[in-house]
Amino acid sequence: QISLRGAGYIRLRVESVVQTREPDTASTVGGKDAYMGYFRVALHLDGLQCDIFIFGGISMEKKVSFHHRVRALTEGAIFVALAFVLSFVKLYELPNGGSLTPAMFPILLFALRFGLGRGLLAGFVFGLLQMIFDGAYAWGWQSMILDYLLAFTPLGLAGLFKGKAWGIFPGTVIGCLGRFIVHHISGVTIYRIIEPTAVPGFGTFDNAHLYSLVYNGSYMLGNAAIAAVILFLLCAAVDPKTLRPMGRK
């Protein structure tokens, strides 16, 4: 269990739970006892409570390490919580959504450690939290799906480079590029400009594709750079292939 408290107005608690069940027809896999695991994200914001449960079956099959499954579940909860808290550290924020924060690196790191599937799930959960607490920038349900649920999920694409030496760099690029593409699609469809529109610091644009490219690229390039720098610094203390502390398997 991990508890984090913000600046007087937000409290976040993440719990990772693994429960055993008695062997029976429904809960036995390959003759082994089956376990049910989940993590619970409890958010309290100005009296509003939001509870999110992520469930996942955990078996004792020989092919899959039980310890690894539990560790993935626990670290997933911690990394999602860390990303959510870091999302409030905004170095720069654009008027129509999008900001420069260090929030992406925990999701990228988790995906690099545990692979594509779990990475995509962590990105989806993070996007869900962003939609709930930062959805003021959404223009309808289409924007909620594209700019939150689908946009943050591709960060898990970094998991394609799990176990590869120095995979943090291509993993960061692919994950951030995936998020940028979704935001760009949203920019040329939902947020499509119909008259010349200014992007702070970059001038005025009358082409929807170019506007979306510059607007979303202006913060995504910075976010990708921040994530890459943090992950690079972490490599000084971890094995660049396994992303575990030096000397540990």
Side-chain angles (χ1 to χ4, degrees):
Q1 175 175 324
I2 180 172
S3 298
L4 301 171
R5 183 182 294 273
Y9 66 93
I10 184 169
R11 181 161 53 90
L12 181 147
R13 185 176 70 256
V14 179
E15 300 172 347
S16 178
V17 180
V18 178
Q19 299 175 329
T20 61
R21 298 175 59 186
E22 294 297 327
D24 56 35
T25 303
S27 63
T28 303
V29 181
K32 300 293 184 179
D33 294 351
Y35 292 72
M36 177 60 70
Y38 68 87
F39 71 78
R40 173 176 181 258
V41 180
L43 298 167
H44 303 266
L45 181 62
D46 289 336
L48 173 66
Q49 178 171 333
C50 173
D51 294 315
I52 299 174
F53 292 85
I54 304 298
F55 292 90
I58 301 178
S59 71
M60 288 292 287
E61 293 179 284
K62 294 181 180 179
K63 294 182 180 179
V64 182
S65 167
F66 172 71
H67 172 75
H68 182 75
R69 289 283 188 96
V70 175
R71 183 170 191 145
L73 192 68
T74 303
E75 289 192 21
I78 293 172
F79 280 126
V80 169
L82 178 60
F84 179 75
V85 172
L86 289 176
S87 69
F88 288 91
V89 182
K90 297 183 179 181
L91 307 177
Y92 177 73
E93 188 171 14
L94 291 170
N96 294 320
S99 57
L100 192 62
T101 79
M104 291 197 305
F105 95 86
I107 306 300
L108 294 168
L109 179 58
F110 177 76
L112 287 163
R113 280 175 56 76
F114 292 99
L116 179 64
R118 293 187 177 99
L120 292 174
L121 178 60
F124 176 83
V125 175
F126 178 51
L128 180 61
L129 295 176
Q130 288 292 292
M131 183 185 70
I132 294 173
F133 290 97
D134 195 36
Y137 293 109
W139 290 13
W141 63 268
Q142 300 96 331
S143 176
M144 290 183 179
I145 293 176
L146 278 176
D147 289 310
Y148 293 96
L149 298 183
L150 293 184
F152 290 96
T153 300
L155 293 175
L157 292 174
L160 291 170
F161 298 89
K162 173 191 174 184
K164 300 184 184 299
W166 299 103
I168 60 171
F169 299 109
T172 298
V173 171
I174 294 299
C176 293
L177 180 62
R179 180 186 167 188
F180 168 77
I181 289 174
V182 177
H183 283 310
H184 180 67
I185 293 173
S186 175
V188 298
T189 55
I190 300 171
Y191 294 87
R192 183 181 181 88
I193 61 173
I194 57 177
E195 60 184 21
T197 305
V199 177
F202 293 91
T204 301
F205 300 86
D206 56 9
N207 180 281
H209 287 274
L210 185 58
Y211 170 79
S212 180
L213 182 69
V214 173
Y215 185 94
N216 291 298
S218 66
Y219 65 88
M220 279 305 303
L221 281 175
N223 283 331
I226 291 174
V229 169
I230 294 175
L231 290 172
F232 175 77
L233 294 175
L234 286 175
C235 282
V238 300
D239 185 316
K241 185 175 181 179
T242 64
L243 295 180
R244 295 183 182 278
M246 292 293 187
R248 295 185 59 183
K249 297 182 178 180

